[in-house]
Amino acid sequence: MLFHLVLLILALSSAQQPVSLDPLVRQSQEAIQAGRYSEAREKLRQALKHDPRNPVLWSYLGLADTQLNDVDAGITDFQKALLFAPQDAQTHFNLGLLYRRKGHSQKALEMYQRGLGLDPKDAAANQNYALLLMETGKFREAIPFLQKLRALGVTDLSVSVALIESYLKAGMNEEGKREIQSLLQSPTVSSMDQLKLAKVLVEDKQPEAAQLVLEHAVRISPESAEAHAQLGQLLANKDQYEDAAREMGQAVHFSPEVADYSMKLAEILILWKHYPSALEFLAATKNRFGELAEYQYKLGLAYFGLHQVPQAIAVFENLTQTHPEVDLVHFFLGNCYQTTGDFEKAEPHYKRAIELNPQKASYYAALAQMLRKQSKDRTEEATTYLERALLLDPQDVQSKLELALCHEKRLNYPKAQSLLEEVVQQQPDLIASHVALARVYFRLKKKEEGNRERSIIAQLEAEQQARKSQPEKPPEFPIR
Amino acid sequence: MPTMFRVGRLLLFAGSILLPSSPITFREVPPSESKITWVHENGHSDKRYLPETIGPGVAIFDYNNDGWMDILFVNSGESAFFHPRTALRSALYRNNRDGTFADVTEKAGLRGNLFGMGAAIGDYDGDGFQDIFLTGYGKSMLYRSKGDGTFEEVTESGISPPGWSTSAVWFDYNNDGRLDLFVCQFVDYSSLRSCGLANSYGGKIEGIPEAGTYYCIPRIFAPMPSHLYRNDGNGHFIDVSKETGILDSAGKGFGVVATDINQDGYLDLFQANDTVANFLFVNSEGKKFEEIGLASGVGYSDDGVTRSGMGVDAADFDEDGWQDLFVANVDQETFSFYHNSKDEIFTDLSKSHGIADPTRLLSGWGVRFFDYDNDGFADLILANGHPDDLVERRMRGVTYKEPLLLFHNQGDGKMANVSSLAGAAFQENYAARGLAVGDLNNDGYPDVVVGINGGAPLVLLNNLSNKNNWLGLKLVSTIGNPAAVGALIKWSAGGQVHSRLKTAGGSFLSSHDPREILGLGTGGKVDWLEIRWPKPSTRVDRFTDLPANKYLTIKEEMGIL
């Protein structure tokens, strides 16, 4: 953009300068071309003393100041240029650019709007204006400018992506889908481009659109492992594990040597709670990937999921030796030991996980729960950890409930009551919180409130009972 | 000597885990020796009807008043889902006093055919002979002892708990001196439902083939209220479940014990429920029961979730004068060791008192606080086994058959797991269910009988040779209920004072030797003995100069017989 500006200025300058300023202007041009912006600025300032109403010189100076990261000065310079050449579209565009850089979106938009009024066919300006509109949430307004880019011959994939995004975010889903279809059918768009598009859509939180693209990609390139993998990952993110497993399985099938695909498939099977299948798959890929930390980690999770806790412990313990800095491993090892009741072994691993990743609220909550269960004497310590968890995630229901239970254990019933009342508001169907609150009310001799909670508990339990007594549906798919 | 003994006691309290002073052994008595050849028939089928996996119960009592404990085993039988080719029966074994037992079932007239669960023994008509109440699926039966070693079925007693009854307890709820009956109801199993993996105990684990059917987890069935029957004194019972408030609480009752948790002289009831909150029915002057399981802290776990409560018992395990409670749960839940904090509040000390870790992967049924080594402190025994015979398909570390557990009370309520020292039987695994404790050979050391689902029972003789002295008591109330349930016994031996409330019921589907064995430790003899008889009596009897290592019968108003 700025290079474009430079050329324009150079072109203009040669036609406009008076003979007496020529050396200064020429020197400043040379300096700019050579990237010697400080020198150019000096020369231009001197030139402007002689010709202060020269818009070109002001534009030059704006360029130099901008290159020297003095955006405020650059804005002032271009404002001066505009004062003396108000019909110059490019100056408008330059100001738009600089206002955007300063975060003054509204001013930037105005500049682009005015500039495009003067020169509606400037592709770069149209693109920037459209993007600015998108940035400020004006997706519907951005659409005509993106379409104009097409008309101006700009066929870059990024324009299509921006157009798709704008359609979808403006609620014009049909148009968005049509645009996607159109893009996908375009002979100029390679499958690599499609995958890039899908990635962008995912990052842009447009999973439905991304799914359309990927499903198309796997249709036209059924042997593309990457397409299957991306689709599998997207489906897993939507908790559609069966489909995700199928797609990722295809990725593995076509590229069995790619560790990422195999590890992701193992992860999907684990998230899907198909632990035996995960174990089977990991066993089958042991020769290829068995040495990877990621493999060992998934193996541990699969064992843990199957309640094969001693095996899970063995795997995680080994991982802590080979990869002592992985917080998740320590966390799960803590969970394993807590499951077996070996709190003494669990504790250092939880603490190590926290040390390695102090931003994970769930680590503090898990450690705190273990401490509370271990002994009344450790509830104060547990409380400290839970307070940290709540600093990280003030709305976390589990941490609040756990903290309330700690307060209860320490006979601090008013504090427990206050927290539990928040929890039951946040998650009214969590029976355990009502039970704890009822207990606390009774301890505080608040019989009426306690009995009210009892009624709520009875209601929730009856609903739970009714749900669980439904006849089983036969499985809809074979398990093996 | 007494001074050294006191120092020894101090060391006991100050120390960490202490093992009993001498090895203990419960010797398994094989059928070839005991002549107990009865085997439980659980009616196992491919449909896996839930009642199949629940029994049997066991009762130890003196059916013929000869001073020797006999044994009753409860069997399954004809039901809506089980039609045995040959008629099955429960079995009453008379103690021959020489280590053998004789099957006297037929002679005794116990011919009833029902899919039996458990037995509750009590002298409901006050004639001095123990009567039998059998619980079961779809049917229950009351047998009155005729006093001559035979029983007659009482068909018009007024006791008719519907559906599936499990544990029952004879106790005097209104202190009118007569034994009333509380009967636990389990779930509404009228559907006779079989279950697939998803509704099994272990739950569904994706990828595990769903071959056949599994025992259903009780969570999917509707709860049912238990029943209380008041003894009218004329051989008849009145269902007072509604007027006493018992009917207001629908549970899935498996175990029940009658005890006095608030020292008001009225017996309360602690009922373990499977997958719903446990009930603590506090007796309000014999008129009504208020259910305070949730409020008291025994209903749910500390985390606020229900557990699978099965066997229960009550005792003052830390000897602070207040009755504590125990519930056995299923695997992954740990068992509950509730300390009475007074004011009708309980705290689960399972982790700190040595119970949680050994029970983490076990499912407990029969349970009893008893002083196996006669040191004066209540120890604990547990019979375990997973309800799901297919659990090993899905879970490592959890097995269908499980070991028995024996805990030794360290003197402060903390329990040491001494199972590895308890004898060969404790190193084996069983599908154990009911458990009854009683002194089968009258040597003053309590023995144990365990009901095994689908198998031969386990008879374990206490072979302890530590030679702690003891005093056995058979208490007979004349004013209060005949079983003297609710009597508070206090004794001192070697300067150490103990107390014990005579509770009723407890364990799972089972009934214990009604006598009390008081451990005297190494003190040698009883300094004094005090009996506070149950209400409506206000009598307190005190005795000194008592012998050791003997059974005494003490009758209210008459003293030692």
Side-chain angles (χ1 to χ4, degrees):
Chain A
M1 185 71 176
L2 279 169
F3 181 65
H4 177 69
L5 169 64
V6 166
L7 289 177
L8 210 59
I9 290 173
L10 286 173
L12 284 168
S13 64
S14 60
Q16 289 175 7
Q17 297 314 308
V19 172
S20 59
L21 288 175
D22 260 352
L24 275 174
V25 171
R26 200 171 47 252
Q27 284 160 19
S28 59
Q29 279 174 352
E30 283 165 6
I32 283 173
Q33 278 173 341
R36 298 192 304 274
Y37 299 110
S38 291
E39 184 190 322
R41 182 164 65 178
E42 243 351 276
K43 302 283 181 207
L44 287 163
R45 280 178 179 164
Q46 285 176 39
L48 278 162
K49 279 181 187 162
H50 298 287
D51 190 2
R53 301 172 72 82
N54 188 326
V56 176
L57 291 179
W58 282 113
S59 291
Y60 262 131
L61 185 57
L63 171 65
D65 278 330
T66 304
Q67 290 298 93
L68 290 167
N69 286 321
D70 192 345
V71 177
D72 288 331
I75 287 175
T76 308
D77 299 334
F78 282 115
Q79 281 173 338
K80 288 279 196 186
L82 202 60
L83 193 64
F84 302 122
Q87 300 303 308
D88 187 67
Q90 193 55 58
T91 307
H92 284 88
F93 298 149
N94 291 341
L95 271 168
L97 200 67
L98 293 182
Y99 279 132
R100 179 181 174 272
R101 214 187 270 188
K102 287 291 289 183
H104 301 315
S105 304
Q106 202 47 50
K107 282 185 178 170
L109 281 168
E110 275 171 34
M111 286 297 125
Y112 275 110
Q113 208 167 11
R114 283 195 224 158
L116 283 168
L118 296 166
D119 182 4
K121 289 192 178 165
D122 187 307
N126 274 286
Q127 183 166 325
N128 283 358
Y129 185 50
L131 286 170
L132 199 49
L133 286 167
M134 289 170 72
E135 275 173 14
T136 51
K138 296 182 172 115
F139 294 99
R140 198 173 277 265
E141 289 91 318
I143 290 168
F145 294 93
L146 292 167
Q147 286 169 335
K148 201 195 292 183
L149 276 174
R150 284 260 180 84
L152 291 171
V154 179
T155 56
D156 196 72
L157 179 69
S158 60
V159 174
S160 297
V161 173
L163 195 49
I164 290 166
E165 184 184 349
S166 296
Y167 277 134
L168 294 174
K169 287 202 169 143
M172 297 162 69
N173 292 330
E174 286 310 309
E175 289 85 345
K177 280 184 193 164
R178 269 200 300 272
E179 187 61 35
I180 290 172
Q181 291 300 339
S182 165
L183 176 72
L184 295 176
Q185 276 152 24
S186 165
T188 59
V189 175
S190 66
S191 60
M192 197 51 65
D193 286 335
Q194 289 178 39
L195 295 179
K196 273 192 214 164
L197 169 62
K199 262 200 182 127
V200 167
L201 289 170
V202 167
E203 282 159 14
D204 219 28
K205 298 188 177 33
Q206 300 287 340
E208 305 299 333
Q211 188 169 340
L212 274 173
V213 173
L214 288 167
E215 281 169 352
H216 183 265
V218 304
R219 262 199 309 275
I220 60 163
S221 307
E223 294 186 9
S224 165
E226 179 59 22
H228 285 288
Q230 275 200 39
L231 181 55
Q233 187 61 57
L234 186 143
L235 291 164
N237 294 344
K238 291 167 73 178
D239 298 347
Q240 291 173 12
Y241 297 122
E242 187 191 353
D243 295 333
R246 186 190 59 237
E247 289 303 324
M248 199 60 77
Q250 287 292 298
V252 169
H253 172 70
F254 290 117
S255 291
E257 73 287 355
V258 176
D260 188 48
Y261 300 157
S262 287
M263 293 305 100
K264 283 196 167 122
L265 177 57
E267 182 171 316
I268 287 167
L269 291 170
I270 288 166
L271 288 169
W272 195 16
K273 296 183 173 29
H274 278 57
Y275 304 113
S277 304
L279 266 185
E280 215 178 291
F281 174 70
L282 287 165
T285 55
K286 186 179 177 182
N287 285 343
R288 200 168 244 154
F289 305 122
E291 299 300 312
L292 296 176
E294 183 74 24
Y295 176 97
Q296 291 294 321
Y297 176 63
K298 300 291 193 279
L299 186 65
L301 290 180
Y303 280 134
F304 187 65
L306 268 175
H307 302 285
Q308 292 179 16
V309 181
Q311 289 88 336
I313 287 175
V315 169
F316 286 132
E317 280 287 4
N318 192 51
L319 258 180
T320 59
Q321 300 299 314
T322 56
H323 295 78
E325 307 295 310
V326 180
D327 56 290
L328 270 170
V329 173
H330 286 282
F331 174 65
F332 276 104
L333 195 44
N335 286 349
C336 286
Y337 281 126
Q338 195 184 157
T339 302
T340 62
D342 195 340
F343 294 167
E344 274 180 26
K345 284 199 175 140
E347 185 175 342
H349 288 291
Y350 281 135
K351 286 183 171 171
R352 184 71 181 132
I354 288 170
E355 209 178 288
L356 291 167
N357 187 350
Q359 301 305 312
K360 269 294 226 339
S362 54
Y363 294 172
Y364 297 95
L367 173 57
Q369 186 186 66
M370 190 213 76
L371 292 171
R372 174 179 62 81
K373 285 180 176 177
Q374 190 174 25
S375 155
K376 190 177 172 181
D377 298 334
R378 303 204 73 182
T379 45
E380 191 173 339
E381 203 181 333
T383 302
T384 310
Y385 284 112
L386 288 163
E387 282 166 356
R388 276 194 237 170
L390 285 168
L391 277 175
L392 290 168
D393 186 356
Q395 296 308 310
D396 182 49
V397 162
Q398 281 306 321
S399 294
K400 281 189 188 176
L401 175 57
E402 192 55 47
L403 184 55
L405 293 174
C406 285
H407 287 317
E408 185 193 5
K409 198 154 189 174
R410 294 172 69 200
L411 310 183
N412 193 337
Y413 298 124
K415 272 192 175 170
Q417 175 188 329
S418 157
L419 268 170
L420 288 165
E421 283 171 350
E422 277 179 42
V423 172
V424 301
Q425 284 288 320
Q426 267 183 268
Q427 203 168 325
D429 60 348
L430 183 58
I431 295 176
S433 58
H434 287 285
V435 168
L437 182 54
R439 266 198 320 245
V440 165
Y441 279 140
F442 285 122
R443 296 288 178 277
L444 291 168
K445 312 286 183 212
K446 294 181 176 178
K447 206 167 175 184
E448 199 182 311
E449 290 89 334
N451 284 331
R452 186 187 63 220
E453 286 301 311
R454 274 186 77 168
S455 302
I456 294 171
I457 292 162
Q459 169 95 8
L460 289 171
E461 286 180 339
E463 286 166 12
Q464 195 178 67
Q465 176 73 47
R467 277 197 303 273
K468 287 186 192 292
S469 55
Q470 294 303 314
E472 289 168 57
K473 283 194 294 195
E476 290 169 358
F477 48 85
I479 289 168
R480 283 199 187 280
Chain B
M1 185 68 169
T3 305
M4 281 174 69
F5 170 76
R6 281 200 198 90
V7 167
R9 280 280 178 229
L10 280 172
L11 280 176
L12 257 174
F13 279 103
S16 55
I17 290 180
L18 283 170
L19 295 176
S21 50
S22 53
I24 42 126
T25 302
F26 277 91
R27 184 177 73 85
E28 182 183 350
V29 182
S32 56
E33 183 182 326
S34 68
K35 308 299 181 205
I36 295 173
T37 55
W38 177 87
V39 174
H40 177 244
E41 169 58 66
N42 59 10
H44 177 80
S45 68
D46 289 341
K47 291 276 195 188
R48 287 191 168 76
Y49 296 106
L50 193 52
E52 293 169 11
T53 193
I54 304 302
V58 177
I60 294 178
F61 70 114
D62 184 2
Y63 90 100
N64 56 359
N65 277 3
D66 66 352
W68 290 79
M69 290 297 127
D70 313 297
I71 310 173
L72 172 67
F73 300 102
V74 181
N75 211 349
S76 72
E78 182 69 32
S79 71
F81 55 88
F82 180 49
H83 312 288
R85 281 198 212 103
T86 52
L88 299 175
R89 56 174 180 78
S90 298
L92 176 63
Y93 277 87
R94 187 195 66 221
N95 192 330
N96 292 331
R97 313 180 191 188
D98 60 359
T100 68
F101 294 79
D103 186 344
V104 296
T105 319
E106 279 294 320
K107 213 189 276 186
L110 297 174
R111 293 183 196 90
N113 193 0
L114 76 164
F115 199 103
M117 287 283 124
I121 308 297
D123 179 14
Y124 79 86
D125 56 358
D127 65 355
F129 288 88
Q130 301 288 351
D131 310 301
I132 301 169
F133 179 71
L134 293 179
T135 60
Y137 176 83
K139 194 176 168 184
S140 57
M141 298 176 82
L142 176 65
Y143 286 98
R144 190 185 75 83
S145 171
K146 286 153 69 173
D148 58 359
T150 67
F151 294 83
E152 62 179 4
E153 187 187 346
V154 182
T155 51
E156 301 295 326
S157 65
I159 298 173
S160 56
W164 186 352
S165 55
T166 52
S167 291
V169 57
W170 293 101
F171 76 121
D172 184 4
Y173 87 92
N174 54 357
N175 287 344
D176 65 357
R178 294 190 283 261
L179 285 175
D180 311 299
L181 183 67
F182 178 89
V183 184
C184 285
Q185 288 304 108
F186 191 41
V187 298
D188 177 3
Y189 193 65
S190 51
S191 64
L192 295 181
R193 185 171 162 183
S194 294
C195 287
L197 204 51
N199 284 318
S200 69
Y201 267 93
K204 185 168 182 152
I205 293 182
E206 301 295 347
I208 298 289
E210 290 194 38
T213 53
Y214 295 76
Y215 286 114
C216 301
I217 188 165
R219 196 180 296 284
I220 65 170
F221 299 107
M224 298 288 283
S226 296
H227 288 265
L228 177 62
Y229 299 94
R230 180 167 62 80
N231 187 338
D232 72 356
N234 296 316
H236 200 257
F237 292 82
I238 299 158
D239 189 340
V240 293
S241 312
K242 191 172 163 61
E243 75 189 57
T244 56
I246 294 292
L247 215 59
D248 296 338
S249 301
K252 299 179 186 178
F254 258 155
V256 63
V257 61
T259 183
D260 184 1
I261 62 128
N262 53 8
Q263 297 187 356
D264 66 353
Y266 285 89
L267 286 167
D268 314 301
L269 292 166
F270 179 48
Q271 175 181 316
N273 288 313
D274 191 336
T275 69
V276 302
N278 299 320
F279 294 153
L280 181 57
F281 291 110
V282 173
N283 190 336
S284 180
E285 297 183 350
K287 297 188 180 85
K288 239 176 144 59
F289 285 87
E290 183 190 355
E291 201 291 293
I292 63 163
L294 167 55
S296 65
V298 301
Y300 296 81
S301 71
D302 282 351
D303 295 340
V305 297
T306 56
R307 290 189 276 191
S308 301
M310 302 186 305
V312 292
D313 204 8
D316 179 6
F317 62 67
D318 62 343
E319 302 234 337
D320 64 355
W322 294 82
Q323 286 288 293
D324 311 299
L325 301 171
F326 186 95
V327 185
N329 299 306
V330 295
D331 63 288
Q332 320 298 335
E333 294 179 346
T334 72
F335 299 176
S336 314
F337 199 56
Y338 289 117
H339 176 251
N340 191 335
S341 310
K342 301 163 201 166
D343 203 19
E344 296 176 359
I345 291 172
F346 291 78
T347 309
D348 190 352
L349 300 182
S350 163
K351 178 68 182 170
S352 59
H353 280 48
I355 298 296
D357 291 344
T359 61
R360 192 169 299 278
L361 293 179
L362 300 180
S363 301
W365 305 86
V367 53
R368 181 68 168 164
F369 280 109
F370 75 131
D371 183 4
Y372 73 79
D373 62 348
N374 283 333
D375 65 357
F377 296 97
D379 310 303
L380 184 68
I381 188 167
L382 284 154
N384 308 299
H386 202 277
D388 182 353
D389 62 334
L390 297 174
V391 68
E392 287 160 55
R393 281 191 192 183
R394 299 189 303 284
M395 298 177 84
R396 287 278 179 89
V398 176
T399 54
Y400 172 59
K401 293 186 179 179
E402 295 175 358
L404 306 171
L405 283 178
L406 183 69
F407 291 92
H408 181 251
N409 191 327
Q410 300 296 86
D412 57 357
K414 291 192 175 162
M415 298 288 184
N417 183 2
V418 294
S419 307
S420 60
L421 301 172
F426 286 77
Q427 318 314 315
E428 299 291 330
N429 291 348
Y430 308 94
R433 300 288 187 267
L435 178 149
V437 168
D439 186 1
L440 297 175
N441 53 2
N442 283 347
D443 67 350
Y445 280 78
D447 311 301
V448 179
V449 179
V450 181
I452 305 295
N453 184 272
L458 208 53
V459 177
L460 302 173
L461 274 194
N462 188 335
N463 242 23
L464 196 62
S465 56
N466 68 3
K467 300 304 175 209
N468 278 341
N469 287 340
W470 55 276
L471 175 65
L473 300 180
K474 180 180 172 183
L475 299 181
V476 182
S477 287
T478 53
I479 302 169
N481 67 88
V485 177
L488 183 63
I489 306 162
K490 281 187 179 169
W491 73 101
S492 172
Q496 178 81 39
V497 178
H498 298 279
S499 71
R500 185 185 302 167
L501 181 75
K502 193 169 186 336
T503 61
S507 190
F508 176 71
L509 305 181
S510 300
S511 217
H512 309 289
D513 182 340
R515 300 173 298 182
E516 297 291 337
I517 302 173
L518 312 183
L520 307 180
T522 52
K525 66 185 201 68
V526 179
D527 305 324
W528 52 262
L529 170 70
E530 182 184 284
I531 312 284
R532 177 168 303 183
W533 296 95
K535 284 187 175 178
S537 175
T538 52
R539 195 180 171 90
V540 178
D541 288 332
R542 195 173 170 96
F543 305 90
T544 54
D545 294 321
L546 293 171
N549 303 329
K550 247 189 108 130
Y551 277 101
L552 302 176
T553 299
I554 302 180
K555 194 166 183 176
E556 191 179 6
E557 298 178 307
M558 293 179 68
I560 299 170
L561 301 182

